[in-house]
Amino acid sequence: METRIKYGWPLVGIIVFSIYAAGLLWIGFHSEAQLRAEADARLVADSTRRAAAVGDFILERRNNVADLAESREVANYLINKALGMSLRYGLSANLETIAELFRRKMAQITVRGEMIYNRVTLVDPYGDPLADTVQDGAEPIPTPVGAAAGPTATIDLDRRQLVASAPVFHKGVFSGSVIAVADATPLSHYLLSSDQTGRYFESLMTRSGRQLPAGPGQTPLPEAVAAALTDAPANTVIGVGATSDYGPLLAVRTPIPGAELSLMTVLTESAAYGHITSRLFLYAASAFPPIILVAAFMFWRLRRRNAKLKADFAESDRRRYELQDRNLILSQEIARRQEVEGELREKSRQLEHIAHFDALTGLPNRVLLADRLQQAIAQTQRRGRSLAVAYLDLDGFKAVNDQYGHDTGDELLLSVAKRMNASLREGDTLARVGGDEFVAVLVDLEGLQDCEPVLARLLDVAAAPTPVRQQLLLVSTSIGVTLYPQDGADADLLLRHADQAMYQAKQKGKNRWHLFDVAQDAAVRTERESVEGIRHALDRREFVLYYQPKVNMKTGAVIGAEALIRWQHPERGLLPPAAFLPTIEDHAISGELGDWVIDAALAQLAEWRAAGLDLTVSVNVGARQLQRRDFVAQLCDLLTAHPTVEPRYLELEILETSALRDMALVSAIMRGCRAIGVRFALDDFGTGYSSLTYLKRLPAELLKIDRSFVRDILEDPEDLAIVEGVIRLAKAFGRGVIAEGVETIAHGERLLQLGCELAQGYGIARPMPGSELPGWVATWRPPALWSSLADRPPHRADRRENIRVIRDAECSLDPPEEEPAPA
Amino acid sequence: MAFRKRILCLAAALLLSLPGPAQADDLDDVRSRGELRHLGILYANFVTGTGDGFDVELVQGFAKHLGVKYTLVLTDFYAVMHDLLGKEVVRHGNEVTMEGEYPVRGDIIATGFTVLPWREKAILYSKPTFPSTVWLVARADSPQTPIKGSASLAQDIAETKAMIGKKSLLVMERTCLDPANYGLKDKGIDLRAYTKNTNLNEMVPALLKGDADLTLLDVPDAMLDLQKWAGKIKVLGPISEDQALAAAFRKSGPQLRDAFDEYLRKIKADGTYDALVSKYYPGIRTYFPDFFPKRS
């Protein structure tokens, strides 16, 4: 910023100056235009004034002769002449008097001390002179044309004279004229004196362009200029279109009042306007600020460049020195590095060796093994052969280490490794991958039969006694083998499979080899993949709960809904529970998933409650989940996380068929849950072998009649009997009962007839997303048939009948006792 | 002693007061007296009555020329002779007698004074100071038509005289308008002498008033009257030959006359005279070209 200010201020200053100068120039242009206009106006006014003076001069001459024509002396003459007096006896005196009068007037009328008139004469109507200021011998003055009309004043350009005449009348009769002749020179007194430098010209000009000959001090207009101005407009400053040595010319034609003349003023523009206001000057001045601005900008750029060059030069200098230093350092460094490189190369080679070979045995390590295995796989593919990956683990090596120490153990290891390596074929690879673990890659095999001899040899050499430090040590090896491409895994998986097989070999007694079972592994992998898939689905929130309403067919009330999990699989779509739950039934993740279901159900309950809908939601819980000792605590945590949901709105359904190992635990857990308000239902009641046991020992408030019994109650009497029995059983035990799988109105009718009011099924509603349930609840109405059956009392059994039913049910439903195992 | 002085002064005063037949009135006397007394008559532009006039300035210049004081003494045509001479000049035809005793009141007469033969008998004239002639003038409405003029003055005079006929003619005796000067007396012309005053300027007013049908008028006067009464009077023609006007002196003052002539010559030469002529009678030259030579 400072640098910018340092180098930028002159430019800013020049910019400001340019703006200021531009403003001044604009003012100058404006003022120049005004000044020109004023100068033009002044020029016209001055010319008009001078023309008026000339006009007045001429008018005055007319007035002079008019006065003389009307003088008493002239009148007396005319009177006496009219009386008949002769010149000799009377009139001569008059004429002499007139002449004397004319002379007196001539002497009186002066301009600048000089007489204007050089002759005044009185002529008769025929032009003959009567009285004249000039003595005899003077040439008669011709009477001007139109002299009888009135006073005239004309310019005789040839004689350079102004001739004024006025008629003389006696009793209305034209009796002659008084003619006065004046030198036109005095007219020049009213004109501008021609400037000796040639910048001013002024003359009197006729319409035809003839100029009054210049008088003393007057320079005539150049003829070309005069000719160009004959038609110039009056009282207007115009350009002449000609130039003088002093620049372009301007002209003003000013008509002389009362005369056929014009005052023509021609002057240079510089004379008219001066140099200061000349357009050329302003244009030149206008160019000044941009030039200054450009110059300032160039200067600013030069400064910057100069500064930059200086800085670059200084930097270059610095860098040069720096480079010199660096060069020196670099040279030293190069020398050092070359030395180090040598060392590094040696160490790299060592590291390379270390990176790929086991330090103790010198055998390839895991890294090199992987590379060689890849190459072997590629070679096997090309050749269409097989290879074997054998995972070897020394049996008893840990004991040797523990007993004799690691040094002895290392020597033992080394010796065994050498012997095993020696027992391989050429092209095979033995690598050490762990403490006492080795991997052998046997290539170019036709099948398992080709590697069995090698495996046998490996077993033999490993089991051979090994002398180490005066001790004879015994170990053996267990080998796991997998064949490629029979085992279509990649290199890593081949190793894992071989490792798995090695464990199999150890489990089978050690000192043997075991071949990896591919099929078995697939099942295990499937299970593993299922668990992983569900894990991922939980993480990605791919599970959703659908809700199937449960209703009271008798009253038409919606009493609740069963939460049913669905998996919105990204590839397989919406999956029902049967598509994924069985695979994780025994896996810990089933509990995690169950917790999620409870949590999601509670969240939905809270949402419904906030919307004004209070329903019970039943959630299926698995045996594994329910038998967790921290189930109640976990349930409490979940309920705490949803404080707006009362626990009584949560119902947990236990599948009767679930394998409950610890009935007491489950019962305690259920009681614990009931203590916090959560109820239980036995789901699929009647399908299992421990129904009555469950019914007696598990504190479930509701029995859910399995759909398999309900589905056929209309056709199958046995199912009908079972359903009836369950209903009675439930009532005998004071439990509620709800029928699943109600698919038609008839089913509902029948159940109502049997006394079962609660039901759920496709005949009532299919499972739906939680957001749709409130709308369904608001619009659902039970079939009229069900409502009509609501008034009929259900079939009630007495207590004895109920006991009979219970016993019959116990007999029919309890699973057969397991026969004790044979001794 | 004082008494005797008184007696001598008284005697001298008495002597001086006695009119003598011949006073010492020549040039020396004028100079010794230190005063030139100018006898002037109110007449045209010779003596205008406003203190200037052709003759007034002429004599003023003469007095200055002499180095004496100028004094204008107004008189009239009837008294002017005895004011100069101390005696009245009685005309008997062409002869004159000197009669009576009058105080001399002037040294020079310069007043458009016509040189007449009978006057020459009694006085000394200077060289002509001005020309003149006498015209016959009528009222503008008179039936007489002015003569055209011919090459002969005598013919013009005769033609003019013939127009008088039985018309009454206003004249002033003992002046240049005296009909006896021009053979008009005893010719049966109805002469009517204007005697109300001796001012020739009154002739035209009297004519216009109808005192007569015609009047005589000298040219200097006529020039002025033609301007003044333009359209009321008209000149019919000449009655006289050309006349001269001059200054008059006593016969006992020839040096004074000579001095005047010398003065006149001088002012004619230096243009003073022309200036006076142009001033007071600007048109006179055309009538008297012989008297007034062409100016350069």
PDB file of all heavy atoms in Angstrom, chain A residues 76 79 83-86 88-94 96-97 100, chain B residues 135 140 146 148 150 153 156 226-227 230-231 233 238 282-283 286-287:
ATOM      1  N   ASN A  76     -34.150  85.986 -51.616  1.00  0.00           N
ATOM      2  CA  ASN A  76     -34.206  87.381 -52.084  1.00  0.00           C
ATOM      3  C   ASN A  76     -33.892  87.478 -53.560  1.00  0.00           C
ATOM      4  O   ASN A  76     -34.524  88.227 -54.312  1.00  0.00           O
ATOM      5  CB  ASN A  76     -33.236  88.250 -51.281  1.00  0.00           C
ATOM      6  CG  ASN A  76     -33.714  88.469 -49.863  1.00  0.00           C
ATOM      7  OD1 ASN A  76     -34.902  88.252 -49.556  1.00  0.00           O
ATOM      8  ND2 ASN A  76     -32.846  88.927 -49.001  1.00  0.00           N
ATOM      9  N   ILE A  79     -36.818  86.316 -55.436  1.00  0.00           N
ATOM     10  CA  ILE A  79     -37.907  87.298 -55.397  1.00  0.00           C
ATOM     11  C   ILE A  79     -37.612  88.443 -56.353  1.00  0.00           C
ATOM     12  O   ILE A  79     -38.463  88.859 -57.155  1.00  0.00           O
ATOM     13  CB  ILE A  79     -38.082  87.825 -53.957  1.00  0.00           C
ATOM     14  CG1 ILE A  79     -38.659  86.715 -53.059  1.00  0.00           C
ATOM     15  CG2 ILE A  79     -38.974  89.054 -53.941  1.00  0.00           C
ATOM     16  CD1 ILE A  79     -38.634  87.050 -51.604  1.00  0.00           C
ATOM     17  N   LEU A  83     -39.320  89.668 -59.736  1.00  0.00           N
ATOM     18  CA  LEU A  83     -39.815  91.040 -59.961  1.00  0.00           C
ATOM     19  C   LEU A  83     -39.303  91.610 -61.268  1.00  0.00           C
ATOM     20  O   LEU A  83     -39.707  92.693 -61.678  1.00  0.00           O
ATOM     21  CB  LEU A  83     -39.375  91.934 -58.804  1.00  0.00           C
ATOM     22  CG  LEU A  83     -40.118  91.663 -57.464  1.00  0.00           C
ATOM     23  CD1 LEU A  83     -39.502  92.474 -56.356  1.00  0.00           C
ATOM     24  CD2 LEU A  83     -41.595  91.992 -57.607  1.00  0.00           C
ATOM     25  N   GLY A  84     -38.432  90.854 -61.899  1.00  0.00           N
ATOM     26  CA  GLY A  84     -37.980  91.294 -63.193  1.00  0.00           C
ATOM     27  C   GLY A  84     -36.687  92.067 -63.170  1.00  0.00           C
ATOM     28  O   GLY A  84     -36.234  92.551 -64.218  1.00  0.00           O
ATOM     29  N   MET A  85     -36.094  92.122 -61.987  1.00  0.00           N
ATOM     30  CA  MET A  85     -34.875  92.912 -61.918  1.00  0.00           C
ATOM     31  C   MET A  85     -33.809  92.230 -62.721  1.00  0.00           C
ATOM     32  O   MET A  85     -33.732  91.001 -62.813  1.00  0.00           O
ATOM     33  CB  MET A  85     -34.434  93.054 -60.458  1.00  0.00           C
ATOM     34  CG  MET A  85     -35.336  93.996 -59.686  1.00  0.00           C
ATOM     35  SD  MET A  85     -35.085  93.879 -57.908  1.00  0.00           S
ATOM     36  CE  MET A  85     -33.388  94.357 -57.808  1.00  0.00           C
ATOM     37  N   SER A  86     -32.958  93.039 -63.262  1.00  0.00           N
ATOM     38  CA  SER A  86     -31.891  92.500 -64.083  1.00  0.00           C
ATOM     39  C   SER A  86     -30.678  92.248 -63.218  1.00  0.00           C
ATOM     40  O   SER A  86     -30.537  92.787 -62.130  1.00  0.00           O
ATOM     41  CB  SER A  86     -31.572  93.463 -65.214  1.00  0.00           C
ATOM     42  OG  SER A  86     -31.047  94.689 -64.672  1.00  0.00           O
ATOM     43  N   ARG A  88     -27.788  93.269 -63.879  1.00  0.00           N
ATOM     44  CA  ARG A  88     -26.941  94.444 -63.808  1.00  0.00           C
ATOM     45  C   ARG A  88     -27.441  95.432 -62.775  1.00  0.00           C
ATOM     46  O   ARG A  88     -26.667  96.052 -62.066  1.00  0.00           O
ATOM     47  CB  ARG A  88     -26.885  95.091 -65.191  1.00  0.00           C
ATOM     48  CG  ARG A  88     -25.926  96.273 -65.225  1.00  0.00           C
ATOM     49  CD  ARG A  88     -25.708  96.741 -66.602  1.00  0.00           C
ATOM     50  NE  ARG A  88     -24.833  97.906 -66.615  1.00  0.00           N
ATOM     51  CZ  ARG A  88     -24.510  98.572 -67.707  1.00  0.00           C
ATOM     52  NH1 ARG A  88     -24.987  98.184 -68.877  1.00  0.00           N
ATOM     53  NH2 ARG A  88     -23.734  99.639 -67.615  1.00  0.00           N
ATOM     54  N   TYR A  89     -28.750  95.497 -62.732  1.00  0.00           N
ATOM     55  CA  TYR A  89     -29.322  96.500 -61.823  1.00  0.00           C
ATOM     56  C   TYR A  89     -30.127  95.774 -60.741  1.00  0.00           C
ATOM     57  O   TYR A  89     -31.335  95.652 -60.837  1.00  0.00           O
ATOM     58  CB  TYR A  89     -30.199  97.487 -62.586  1.00  0.00           C
ATOM     59  CG  TYR A  89     -29.432  98.171 -63.674  1.00  0.00           C
ATOM     60  CD1 TYR A  89     -29.699  97.916 -65.036  1.00  0.00           C
ATOM     61  CD2 TYR A  89     -28.407  99.093 -63.371  1.00  0.00           C
ATOM     62  CE1 TYR A  89     -28.973  98.541 -66.031  1.00  0.00           C
ATOM     63  CE2 TYR A  89     -27.677  99.719 -64.372  1.00  0.00           C
ATOM     64  CZ  TYR A  89     -27.966  99.430 -65.697  1.00  0.00           C
ATOM     65  OH  TYR A  89     -27.262 100.065 -66.664  1.00  0.00           O
ATOM     66  N   GLY A  90     -29.358  95.164 -59.824  1.00  0.00           N
ATOM     67  CA  GLY A  90     -30.040  94.605 -58.650  1.00  0.00           C
ATOM     68  C   GLY A  90     -29.692  93.157 -58.323  1.00  0.00           C
ATOM     69  O   GLY A  90     -29.230  92.839 -57.233  1.00  0.00           O
ATOM     70  N   LEU A  91     -29.906  92.269 -59.342  1.00  0.00           N
ATOM     71  CA  LEU A  91     -29.733  90.849 -59.031  1.00  0.00           C
ATOM     72  C   LEU A  91     -28.277  90.474 -58.775  1.00  0.00           C
ATOM     73  O   LEU A  91     -27.992  89.539 -58.016  1.00  0.00           O
ATOM     74  CB  LEU A  91     -30.291  89.995 -60.162  1.00  0.00           C
ATOM     75  CG  LEU A  91     -31.804  89.985 -60.291  1.00  0.00           C
ATOM     76  CD1 LEU A  91     -32.236  89.055 -61.430  1.00  0.00           C
ATOM     77  CD2 LEU A  91     -32.471  89.567 -58.987  1.00  0.00           C
ATOM     78  N   SER A  92     -27.390  91.150 -59.432  1.00  0.00           N
ATOM     79  CA  SER A  92     -25.979  90.816 -59.213  1.00  0.00           C
ATOM     80  C   SER A  92     -25.592  90.915 -57.754  1.00  0.00           C
ATOM     81  O   SER A  92     -24.795  90.125 -57.249  1.00  0.00           O
ATOM     82  CB  SER A  92     -25.084  91.733 -60.056  1.00  0.00           C
ATOM     83  OG  SER A  92     -25.290  91.503 -61.419  1.00  0.00           O
ATOM     84  N   ALA A  93     -26.144  91.968 -57.151  1.00  0.00           N
ATOM     85  CA  ALA A  93     -25.832  92.115 -55.721  1.00  0.00           C
ATOM     86  C   ALA A  93     -26.319  90.911 -54.957  1.00  0.00           C
ATOM     87  O   ALA A  93     -25.655  90.396 -54.047  1.00  0.00           O
ATOM     88  CB  ALA A  93     -26.456  93.398 -55.197  1.00  0.00           C
ATOM     89  N   ASN A  94     -27.528  90.444 -55.349  1.00  0.00           N
ATOM     90  CA  ASN A  94     -28.036  89.248 -54.662  1.00  0.00           C
ATOM     91  C   ASN A  94     -27.105  88.063 -54.860  1.00  0.00           C
ATOM     92  O   ASN A  94     -26.820  87.314 -53.929  1.00  0.00           O
ATOM     93  CB  ASN A  94     -29.427  88.904 -55.166  1.00  0.00           C
ATOM     94  CG  ASN A  94     -30.480  89.879 -54.704  1.00  0.00           C
ATOM     95  OD1 ASN A  94     -31.309  90.365 -55.487  1.00  0.00           O
ATOM     96  ND2 ASN A  94     -30.477  90.213 -53.416  1.00  0.00           N
ATOM     97  N   GLU A  96     -24.000  88.048 -55.596  1.00  0.00           N
ATOM     98  CA  GLU A  96     -22.755  88.234 -54.863  1.00  0.00           C
ATOM     99  C   GLU A  96     -22.980  87.956 -53.387  1.00  0.00           C
ATOM    100  O   GLU A  96     -22.132  87.349 -52.714  1.00  0.00           O
ATOM    101  CB  GLU A  96     -22.238  89.660 -55.087  1.00  0.00           C
ATOM    102  CG  GLU A  96     -20.902  89.916 -54.414  1.00  0.00           C
ATOM    103  CD  GLU A  96     -19.776  89.007 -54.855  1.00  0.00           C
ATOM    104  OE1 GLU A  96     -19.798  88.537 -56.020  1.00  0.00           O
ATOM    105  OE2 GLU A  96     -18.875  88.704 -54.033  1.00  0.00           O
ATOM    106  N   THR A  97     -24.121  88.414 -52.944  1.00  0.00           N
ATOM    107  CA  THR A  97     -24.451  88.133 -51.533  1.00  0.00           C
ATOM    108  C   THR A  97     -24.538  86.631 -51.286  1.00  0.00           C
ATOM    109  O   THR A  97     -24.065  86.111 -50.269  1.00  0.00           O
ATOM    110  CB  THR A  97     -25.768  88.827 -51.160  1.00  0.00           C
ATOM    111  OG1 THR A  97     -25.692  90.211 -51.434  1.00  0.00           O
ATOM    112  CG2 THR A  97     -26.085  88.591 -49.688  1.00  0.00           C
ATOM    113  N   GLU A 100     -21.147  85.185 -51.315  1.00  0.00           N
ATOM    114  CA  GLU A 100     -20.491  85.504 -50.072  1.00  0.00           C
ATOM    115  C   GLU A 100     -21.016  84.627 -48.944  1.00  0.00           C
ATOM    116  O   GLU A 100     -20.270  84.177 -48.070  1.00  0.00           O
ATOM    117  CB  GLU A 100     -20.704  86.997 -49.763  1.00  0.00           C
ATOM    118  CG  GLU A 100     -19.778  87.532 -48.695  1.00  0.00           C
ATOM    119  CD  GLU A 100     -18.302  87.375 -49.035  1.00  0.00           C
ATOM    120  OE1 GLU A 100     -17.933  87.501 -50.230  1.00  0.00           O
ATOM    121  OE2 GLU A 100     -17.518  87.102 -48.110  1.00  0.00           O
TER     122      GLU A 100
ATOM    123  N   TRP B 135     -30.057 104.681 -58.615  1.00  0.00           N
ATOM    124  CA  TRP B 135     -31.057 103.913 -59.329  1.00  0.00           C
ATOM    125  C   TRP B 135     -32.428 104.470 -59.049  1.00  0.00           C
ATOM    126  O   TRP B 135     -32.667 105.113 -58.016  1.00  0.00           O
ATOM    127  CB  TRP B 135     -31.026 102.448 -58.890  1.00  0.00           C
ATOM    128  CG  TRP B 135     -29.831 101.676 -59.355  1.00  0.00           C
ATOM    129  CD1 TRP B 135     -28.989 102.012 -60.364  1.00  0.00           C
ATOM    130  CD2 TRP B 135     -29.386 100.473 -58.804  1.00  0.00           C
ATOM    131  NE1 TRP B 135     -28.035 101.053 -60.495  1.00  0.00           N
ATOM    132  CE2 TRP B 135     -28.252 100.079 -59.525  1.00  0.00           C
ATOM    133  CE3 TRP B 135     -29.834  99.626 -57.763  1.00  0.00           C
ATOM    134  CZ2 TRP B 135     -27.554  98.924 -59.267  1.00  0.00           C
ATOM    135  CZ3 TRP B 135     -29.103  98.462 -57.511  1.00  0.00           C
ATOM    136  CH2 TRP B 135     -27.990  98.107 -58.251  1.00  0.00           C
ATOM    137  N   ALA B 140     -42.680  97.073 -55.474  1.00  0.00           N
ATOM    138  CA  ALA B 140     -42.735  95.841 -56.265  1.00  0.00           C
ATOM    139  C   ALA B 140     -44.023  95.718 -57.040  1.00  0.00           C
ATOM    140  O   ALA B 140     -44.063  95.130 -58.116  1.00  0.00           O
ATOM    141  CB  ALA B 140     -42.550  94.634 -55.323  1.00  0.00           C
ATOM    142  N   PRO B 146     -38.709  96.684 -64.714  1.00  0.00           N
ATOM    143  CA  PRO B 146     -37.308  97.072 -64.722  1.00  0.00           C
ATOM    144  C   PRO B 146     -36.738  96.892 -66.112  1.00  0.00           C
ATOM    145  O   PRO B 146     -37.149  95.982 -66.854  1.00  0.00           O
ATOM    146  CB  PRO B 146     -36.671  96.096 -63.735  1.00  0.00           C
ATOM    147  CG  PRO B 146     -37.782  95.654 -62.833  1.00  0.00           C
ATOM    148  CD  PRO B 146     -38.995  95.686 -63.679  1.00  0.00           C
ATOM    149  N   LYS B 148     -34.095  95.944 -69.013  1.00  0.00           N
ATOM    150  CA  LYS B 148     -33.260  94.761 -69.133  1.00  0.00           C
ATOM    151  C   LYS B 148     -31.807  95.105 -68.953  1.00  0.00           C
ATOM    152  O   LYS B 148     -31.016  94.287 -68.493  1.00  0.00           O
ATOM    153  CB  LYS B 148     -33.475  94.102 -70.509  1.00  0.00           C
ATOM    154  CG  LYS B 148     -34.887  93.622 -70.728  1.00  0.00           C
ATOM    155  CD  LYS B 148     -35.174  92.365 -69.944  1.00  0.00           C
ATOM    156  CE  LYS B 148     -36.585  91.891 -70.353  1.00  0.00           C
ATOM    157  NZ  LYS B 148     -37.269  91.318 -69.260  1.00  0.00           N
ATOM    158  N   SER B 150     -28.588  97.457 -71.003  1.00  0.00           N
ATOM    159  CA  SER B 150     -27.906  97.369 -72.291  1.00  0.00           C
ATOM    160  C   SER B 150     -26.434  97.582 -72.081  1.00  0.00           C
ATOM    161  O   SER B 150     -25.955  97.786 -70.971  1.00  0.00           O
ATOM    162  CB  SER B 150     -28.490  98.405 -73.251  1.00  0.00           C
ATOM    163  OG  SER B 150     -28.132  99.735 -72.807  1.00  0.00           O
ATOM    164  N   LEU B 153     -24.694 102.676 -70.765  1.00  0.00           N
ATOM    165  CA  LEU B 153     -25.245 103.199 -69.529  1.00  0.00           C
ATOM    166  C   LEU B 153     -26.137 104.390 -69.822  1.00  0.00           C
ATOM    167  O   LEU B 153     -27.188 104.554 -69.200  1.00  0.00           O
ATOM    168  CB  LEU B 153     -24.108 103.590 -68.563  1.00  0.00           C
ATOM    169  CG  LEU B 153     -24.536 104.209 -67.227  1.00  0.00           C
ATOM    170  CD1 LEU B 153     -25.453 103.269 -66.450  1.00  0.00           C
ATOM    171  CD2 LEU B 153     -23.317 104.610 -66.401  1.00  0.00           C
ATOM    172  N   ASP B 156     -29.355 103.200 -70.855  1.00  0.00           N
ATOM    173  CA  ASP B 156     -30.105 102.678 -69.713  1.00  0.00           C
ATOM    174  C   ASP B 156     -30.658 103.802 -68.847  1.00  0.00           C
ATOM    175  O   ASP B 156     -31.782 103.741 -68.358  1.00  0.00           O
ATOM    176  CB  ASP B 156     -29.212 101.772 -68.862  1.00  0.00           C
ATOM    177  CG  ASP B 156     -28.851 100.499 -69.599  1.00  0.00           C
ATOM    178  OD1 ASP B 156     -29.567 100.122 -70.570  1.00  0.00           O
ATOM    179  OD2 ASP B 156     -27.857  99.811 -69.173  1.00  0.00           O
ATOM    180  N   LEU B 226     -32.598  96.165 -50.980  1.00  0.00           N
ATOM    181  CA  LEU B 226     -33.094  95.016 -51.751  1.00  0.00           C
ATOM    182  C   LEU B 226     -33.105  93.741 -50.899  1.00  0.00           C
ATOM    183  O   LEU B 226     -33.903  92.835 -51.115  1.00  0.00           O
ATOM    184  CB  LEU B 226     -32.221  94.804 -52.979  1.00  0.00           C
ATOM    185  CG  LEU B 226     -32.461  95.793 -54.122  1.00  0.00           C
ATOM    186  CD1 LEU B 226     -31.407  95.620 -55.210  1.00  0.00           C
ATOM    187  CD2 LEU B 226     -33.850  95.644 -54.709  1.00  0.00           C
ATOM    188  N   GLN B 227     -32.193  93.665 -49.946  1.00  0.00           N
ATOM    189  CA  GLN B 227     -32.203  92.546 -49.013  1.00  0.00           C
ATOM    190  C   GLN B 227     -33.286  92.731 -47.975  1.00  0.00           C
ATOM    191  O   GLN B 227     -34.046  91.827 -47.672  1.00  0.00           O
ATOM    192  CB  GLN B 227     -30.841  92.416 -48.320  1.00  0.00           C
ATOM    193  CG  GLN B 227     -29.686  92.118 -49.244  1.00  0.00           C
ATOM    194  CD  GLN B 227     -29.735  90.722 -49.852  1.00  0.00           C
ATOM    195  OE1 GLN B 227     -30.271  89.804 -49.228  1.00  0.00           O
ATOM    196  NE2 GLN B 227     -29.202  90.567 -51.046  1.00  0.00           N
ATOM    197  N   ALA B 230     -36.803  92.870 -49.672  1.00  0.00           N
ATOM    198  CA  ALA B 230     -36.927  91.979 -50.827  1.00  0.00           C
ATOM    199  C   ALA B 230     -38.378  91.651 -51.085  1.00  0.00           C
ATOM    200  O   ALA B 230     -39.125  91.325 -50.167  1.00  0.00           O
ATOM    201  CB  ALA B 230     -36.124  90.699 -50.551  1.00  0.00           C
ATOM    202  N   GLY B 231     -38.776  91.827 -52.330  1.00  0.00           N
ATOM    203  CA  GLY B 231     -40.131  91.527 -52.699  1.00  0.00           C
ATOM    204  C   GLY B 231     -41.076  92.706 -52.570  1.00  0.00           C
ATOM    205  O   GLY B 231     -42.214  92.631 -53.002  1.00  0.00           O
ATOM    206  N   ILE B 233     -39.737  96.039 -53.116  1.00  0.00           N
ATOM    207  CA  ILE B 233     -39.275  97.097 -54.030  1.00  0.00           C
ATOM    208  C   ILE B 233     -38.592  96.444 -55.191  1.00  0.00           C
ATOM    209  O   ILE B 233     -38.212  95.272 -55.115  1.00  0.00           O
ATOM    210  CB  ILE B 233     -38.322  98.095 -53.331  1.00  0.00           C
ATOM    211  CG1 ILE B 233     -37.095  97.334 -52.784  1.00  0.00           C
ATOM    212  CG2 ILE B 233     -39.051  98.835 -52.210  1.00  0.00           C
ATOM    213  CD1 ILE B 233     -36.036  98.243 -52.244  1.00  0.00           C
ATOM    214  N   PRO B 238     -30.935 102.603 -63.931  1.00  0.00           N
ATOM    215  CA  PRO B 238     -30.031 103.681 -63.435  1.00  0.00           C
ATOM    216  C   PRO B 238     -30.536 105.071 -63.784  1.00  0.00           C
ATOM    217  O   PRO B 238     -31.186 105.250 -64.812  1.00  0.00           O
ATOM    218  CB  PRO B 238     -28.715 103.365 -64.159  1.00  0.00           C
ATOM    219  CG  PRO B 238     -29.145 102.764 -65.447  1.00  0.00           C
ATOM    220  CD  PRO B 238     -30.399 102.012 -65.169  1.00  0.00           C
ATOM    221  N   PRO B 282     -20.875  93.229 -49.451  1.00  0.00           N
ATOM    222  CA  PRO B 282     -20.320  92.049 -50.103  1.00  0.00           C
ATOM    223  C   PRO B 282     -20.676  91.939 -51.563  1.00  0.00           C
ATOM    224  O   PRO B 282     -19.984  91.320 -52.312  1.00  0.00           O
ATOM    225  CB  PRO B 282     -20.894  90.888 -49.276  1.00  0.00           C
ATOM    226  CG  PRO B 282     -22.104  91.422 -48.617  1.00  0.00           C
ATOM    227  CD  PRO B 282     -21.831  92.866 -48.370  1.00  0.00           C
ATOM    228  N   GLY B 283     -21.738  92.479 -52.014  1.00  0.00           N
ATOM    229  CA  GLY B 283     -22.123  92.300 -53.403  1.00  0.00           C
ATOM    230  C   GLY B 283     -21.792  93.463 -54.301  1.00  0.00           C
ATOM    231  O   GLY B 283     -22.152  93.452 -55.485  1.00  0.00           O
ATOM    232  N   THR B 286     -19.804  93.365 -57.952  1.00  0.00           N
ATOM    233  CA  THR B 286     -20.354  92.999 -59.256  1.00  0.00           C
ATOM    234  C   THR B 286     -20.924  94.198 -59.988  1.00  0.00           C
ATOM    235  O   THR B 286     -21.011  94.214 -61.212  1.00  0.00           O
ATOM    236  CB  THR B 286     -21.461  91.952 -59.094  1.00  0.00           C
ATOM    237  OG1 THR B 286     -22.469  92.487 -58.238  1.00  0.00           O
ATOM    238  CG2 THR B 286     -20.903  90.682 -58.487  1.00  0.00           C
ATOM    239  N   TYR B 287     -21.301  95.174 -59.197  1.00  0.00           N
ATOM    240  CA  TYR B 287     -21.863  96.352 -59.845  1.00  0.00           C
ATOM    241  C   TYR B 287     -20.773  97.289 -60.340  1.00  0.00           C
ATOM    242  O   TYR B 287     -20.977  98.019 -61.300  1.00  0.00           O
ATOM    243  CB  TYR B 287     -22.781  97.106 -58.868  1.00  0.00           C
ATOM    244  CG  TYR B 287     -24.056  96.379 -58.588  1.00  0.00           C
ATOM    245  CD1 TYR B 287     -24.270  95.777 -57.338  1.00  0.00           C
ATOM    246  CD2 TYR B 287     -25.045  96.272 -59.562  1.00  0.00           C
ATOM    247  CE1 TYR B 287     -25.448  95.103 -57.101  1.00  0.00           C
ATOM    248  CE2 TYR B 287     -26.214  95.580 -59.304  1.00  0.00           C
ATOM    249  CZ  TYR B 287     -26.413  95.004 -58.051  1.00  0.00           C
ATOM    250  OH  TYR B 287     -27.583  94.344 -57.807  1.00  0.00           O
TER     251      TYR B 287
END
